[in-house]
C-alpha cells in the first residue's frame, strides 16, 4: 500500500518550507493543506494538541510535529534517497548543532527585532531606536557566525546539500522583509552567506519550496496592518 502523506502548513512559514524541501529532495508526493492560523482547522488541533502549530506531517494517519524533527523523520524513513544527515556520527552532530543554533539564535533575534505577533501574540514591530539597533547587531553577529562555519565550502555539510543547509535556507525568503523593515543589508555583512543562499536556490527542491520574498513581505505588512504598529 502506498504511503499516505498530508502536510499541514502555511506557505510563508520558514518552518514549513523545511519540510517541503526535504520531501522534494526525496522525491516524495504528498497532499498539501494550507492552514489559516487565525482559524486553525480541527485536524491541526487534533494532530498537534500540545503546540497547535504548523507544520504537521501526517504519515499514514500518524502525526509528526516540529520542523526539524519532521525532517529527520523523513530522512530516516526514506533513507535510501538523497540522505540529508551525514553518516559519520560527529558530522551528524555538527549538522544538528547548526540547525539548532539557527532556531535558538537567528530566529530569536529576528523576533527581537520585530516582536512578531505570530510568535509572541503581541503587536508587531514595536522595537525601535537603540533597542532595534542592538537587536539588529545581535542578528548580524549570529549570521556572521554561520558564515564563519560555512567558510569556503559549497554547503554546510561540505560538497553536498544537507540538513543544516535545509534548516537555514528557509530564512532567505524572509531576508527581504528583514532588510526592508529594519533598514539594513545582510549581504553587506555576510556576502558568502548570500552566495551560498543563491547556490541553494539553484536546486529545484529549494526554489520551488521557498515562498516568494515579495509574498512574505506582503504577508508581514498584512499582519502589521491587522495588529497595528
Amino acid at each position: 500500500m502506498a504511503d499516505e502523506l498530508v502536510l499541514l502548513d502555511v506557505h510563508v512559514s520558514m518552518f514549513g518550507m523545511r519540510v517541503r524541501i526535504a520531501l522534494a529532495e526525496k522525491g516524495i508526493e504528498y497532499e498539501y493543506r494550507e492552514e489559516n492560523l487565525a482559524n486553525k482547522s480541527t485536524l491541526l488541533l487534533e494532530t498537534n494538541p500540545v503546540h497547535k502549530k504548523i507544520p504537521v506531517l501526517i504519515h499514514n494517519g500518524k502525526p509528526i510535529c516540529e520542523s526539524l524533527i519532521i525532517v529527520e523523520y523523513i530522512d530516516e524513513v526514506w533513507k535510501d534517497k538523497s540522505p540529508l544527515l551525514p553518516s559519520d556520527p560527529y558530522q551528524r552532530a555538527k549538522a544538528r548543532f547548526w540547525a539548532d543554533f539557527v532556531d535558538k539564535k537567528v530566529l530569536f533575534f529576528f523576533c527581537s527585532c520585530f516582536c512578531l505577533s505570530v510568535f509572541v501574540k503581541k503587536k508587531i514591530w514595536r522595537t525601535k531606536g537603540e533597542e532595534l539597533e542592538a537587536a539588529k547587531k545581535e542578528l548580524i553577529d549570529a549570521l556572521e557566525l554561520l558564515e564563519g562555519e560555512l567558510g569556503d565550502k559549497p554547503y554546510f555539510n561540505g560538497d553536498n546539500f544537507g540538513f543544516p543547509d535545509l534548516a537555514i535556507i528557509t530564512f532567505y525568503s524572509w531576508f527581504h522583509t528583514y532588510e526592508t523593515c529594519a533598514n539594513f543589508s545582510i549581504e553587506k555583512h555576510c556576502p558568502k552567506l548570500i552566495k551560498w543562499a543563491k547556490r541553494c536556490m539553484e536546486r529545484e527542491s529549494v526554489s520551488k519550496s521557498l515562498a516568494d520574498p515579495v509574498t512574505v513581505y506582503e504577508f508581514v505588512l498584512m499582519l502589521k496592518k491587522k495588529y497595528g504598529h
Side-chain angles (χ1 to χ4, degrees):
M1 185 177 76
D3 288 305
E4 181 180 313
L5 284 168
V6 178
L7 177 62
L8 308 183
D9 196 5
V10 171
H11 181 62
V12 298
S13 168
M14 58 191 76
F15 306 109
M17 292 180 217
R18 290 170 170 173
V19 180
R20 282 176 256 156
I21 293 171
L23 290 168
E25 283 285 323
K26 300 285 186 176
I28 302 167
E29 294 185 359
Y30 61 97
E31 178 186 347
Y32 178 88
R33 295 190 189 179
E34 181 79 6
E35 283 285 331
N36 177 359
L37 297 185
N39 184 24
K40 298 175 183 177
S41 71
T42 301
L43 183 59
L44 175 60
L45 298 177
E46 288 177 347
T47 54
N48 192 357
V50 176
H51 297 301
K52 303 177 176 64
K53 298 189 301 185
I54 54 89
V56 177
L57 182 69
I58 307 170
H59 182 202
N60 294 333
K62 298 177 180 178
I64 306 96
C65 307
E66 298 295 312
S67 64
L68 294 179
I69 293 173
I70 296 171
V71 170
E72 288 207 48
Y73 176 85
I74 291 169
D75 202 36
E76 290 176 7
V77 173
W78 291 276
K79 57 187 176 182
D80 296 330
K81 302 177 182 178
S82 303
L84 298 170
L85 280 159
S87 57
D88 178 75
Y90 176 69
Q91 294 301 325
R92 194 160 59 245
K94 279 185 64 178
R96 288 176 174 139
F97 172 87
W98 287 108
D100 182 68
F101 173 86
V102 170
D103 282 357
K104 283 189 168 69
K105 296 293 185 180
V106 177
L107 178 63
F108 172 78
F109 294 130
F110 164 60
C111 292
S112 296
C113 281
F114 303 118
C115 295
L116 191 59
S117 62
V118 168
F119 301 101
V120 296
K121 295 184 179 179
K122 296 179 181 178
K123 289 185 178 180
I124 58 176
W125 296 341
R126 296 182 307 168
T127 309
K128 298 180 180 178
E130 292 182 2
E131 188 179 358
L132 175 60
E133 292 304 313
K136 281 162 56 176
K137 183 181 184 303
E138 289 184 278
L139 174 60
I140 291 167
D141 287 346
L143 293 175
E144 286 177 341
L145 280 172
L146 283 173
E147 186 173 71
E149 171 61 22
L150 176 65
D152 295 321
K153 303 189 298 291
Y155 300 106
F156 281 88
N157 275 352
D159 292 331
N160 299 314
F161 179 86
F163 188 71
D165 303 286
L166 180 153
I168 300 164
I169 190 57
T170 58
F171 284 80
Y172 183 59
S173 63
W174 283 73
F175 279 8
H176 171 68
T177 299
Y178 303 174
E179 294 173 321
T180 302
C181 296
N183 191 30
F184 74 114
S185 168
I186 293 174
E187 186 169 17
K188 177 182 176 181
H189 297 279
C190 304
K192 287 185 179 180
L193 198 63
I194 297 300
K195 286 182 180 178
W196 159 84
K198 291 178 179 178
R199 185 178 304 117
C200 290
M201 287 295 289
E202 293 174 0
R203 302 180 70 86
E204 185 175 333
S205 63
V206 176
S207 62
K208 288 190 174 182
S209 299
L210 261 61
D212 176 70
V214 175
T215 301
V216 172
Y217 180 62
E218 290 173 349
F219 170 79
V220 174
L221 289 182
M222 179 272 294
L223 287 181
K224 182 179 180 182
K225 182 178 180 180
K226 181 176 180 180
Y227 291 98
H229 190 277

